[in-house]
Amino acid sequence: MALAAAKFSGVSILIPAHDEADWLPACLDALCASGPVSGPVEVIVVANGCTDATAEVARREASAFKGRGWTLRVLELTEGSKLSAWNAGEAAARGEVLVYLDADVLVSPPLLGQLAEVLVDAAPRYASGVPRVTTMGDWVTRHYTRFWRTTGFMTHGVPGFGIFAMNRAGRARWGDWPNIISDDTFARLNFRPGERIAVAATYDWPMIEGFAPLVRVRRRQDAGVAEVGRLFPELMRNDDAHDDMRPFWRRVLSDPLGGIVFIAVRLTIHAPVFRSANRWVRGR
């Protein structure tokens, strides 16, 4: 991984953005409304393979960040690749704390400050906040999401989807980002459970809406986790134990409708009609 020559003891926020002109303004507005953060802060939006006004939208926000003493830079890549965006953003980043933020995520005001505080450590550390999974009213999505929140992935450890952060000592554990589907799984499992820190602050993460998009994206996410297990089997030992979870059938009894929708989505994932050669299928 290429590291910037001049660093500062602050925070670098990396945002990969592929055709995110509709989502990016709210993401950046929430970021700019953050509470105090110790040390300097820079935001790097990496517009990758965009066919819309993502880069222009990001640049329009620069003055707002300058007004609070932060900087916002925009990098433009011709290739539409999130992993290439991470690599390019890291090469330009100067902070000792690296925050990886999806363009459709809304941070709460205290989140950045809390992440920066817990990652000021010489030892490798990883951190994220508490996800608030949001829906727009679709019936299937609403019931699926309610039940999904009871899974071990959501109730144990530090899930880190949508936003995760680490210090430089942690990021030094691997070189360039590998060409994989599930970058957040790969990053999380490069840290042992005791090295992953959950801060109390929240962030909003939008769930995919509609049965078919939900199935397609959930299938891709399953494939991404399986890919990490196949290519990096040694990392799987760092996954969280779920020994104290309520049995699945008890959770279904507590929420029958949510359980039925959840099971229907899981079963449909394996249907051939939802298989795709596109590893990066999006539901929106």
Side-chain angles (χ1 to χ4, degrees):
M1 177 184 64
L3 297 179
K7 300 178 187 175
F8 55 68
S9 57
V11 178
S12 294
I13 303 161
L14 312 179
I15 307 176
H18 173 71
D19 290 346
E20 299 285 6
D22 291 339
W23 292 81
L24 193 57
C27 173
L28 293 176
D29 287 348
L31 201 56
C32 197
S34 294
V37 179
S38 178
V41 176
E42 64 175 1
V43 180
I44 303 174
V45 176
V46 187
N48 59 100
C50 293
T51 60
D52 67 358
T54 291
E56 291 81 358
V57 166
R59 289 190 179 98
R60 286 200 294 266
E61 299 284 340
S63 60
F65 285 90
K66 184 178 180 180
R68 61 168 303 168
W70 296 5
T71 61
L72 184 149
R73 288 183 283 157
V74 180
L75 307 180
E76 293 189 68
L77 307 181
T78 58
E79 179 189 12
S81 165
K82 187 176 183 181
L83 286 312
S84 295
W86 285 147
N87 289 327
E90 288 174 339
R94 298 173 296 155
E96 289 297 324
V97 171
L98 301 171
V99 178
Y100 301 79
L101 175 64
D102 285 353
D104 57 359
V105 167
L106 305 180
V107 300
S108 64
L111 181 57
L112 286 181
Q114 291 182 14
L115 292 175
E117 183 178 2
V118 300
L119 292 173
V120 179
D121 197 313
R125 292 290 182 268
Y126 166 103
S128 187
V130 178
R132 296 192 305 190
V133 183
T134 62
T135 64
M136 297 175 65
D138 176 78
W139 186 88
V140 169
T141 302
R142 187 172 69 253
H143 291 297
Y144 177 91
T145 300
R146 187 177 63 249
F147 194 86
W148 182 60
R149 289 187 182 121
T150 71
T151 62
F153 175 70
M154 291 294 291
T155 60
H156 290 65
V158 190
F161 57 87
I163 179 171
F164 57 87
M166 63 191 79
N167 55 18
R168 289 276 178 174
R171 181 59 187 86
R173 287 187 164 169
W174 70 92
D176 284 349
W177 286 85
N179 182 24
I180 54 175
I181 299 170
S182 189
D183 55 300
D184 54 347
T185 300
F186 175 79
R188 177 171 57 87
L189 295 182
N190 263 281
F191 297 83
R192 295 184 296 276
E195 296 174 324
R196 300 194 290 260
I197 304 168
V199 301
T202 62
Y203 62 94
D204 289 353
W205 182 86
M207 177 61 84
I208 297 303
E209 298 285 331
F211 185 83
L214 188 58
V215 168
R216 285 194 293 267
V217 172
R218 294 285 118 184
R219 185 178 188 280
R220 177 183 62 79
Q221 291 170 340
D222 283 1
V225 174
E227 180 183 51
V228 171
R230 184 175 69 254
L231 298 178
F232 307 97
E234 72 282 359
L235 295 183
M236 302 311 292
R237 71 188 68 169
N238 291 334
D239 207 355
D240 295 294
H242 300 153
D243 298 338
D244 58 343
M245 277 193 62
R246 283 192 305 158
F248 182 81
W249 65 270
R250 286 188 180 276
R251 290 185 284 132
V252 172
L253 287 178
S254 298
D255 182 5
L257 188 53
I260 290 170
V261 173
F262 183 85
I263 292 168
V265 170
R266 300 303 306 173
L267 290 175
T268 311
I269 282 172
H270 303 287
V273 69
F274 288 101
R275 294 178 184 172
S276 171
N278 181 4
R279 299 169 76 233
W280 305 106
V281 61
R282 297 169 72 174
R284 56 172 175 79

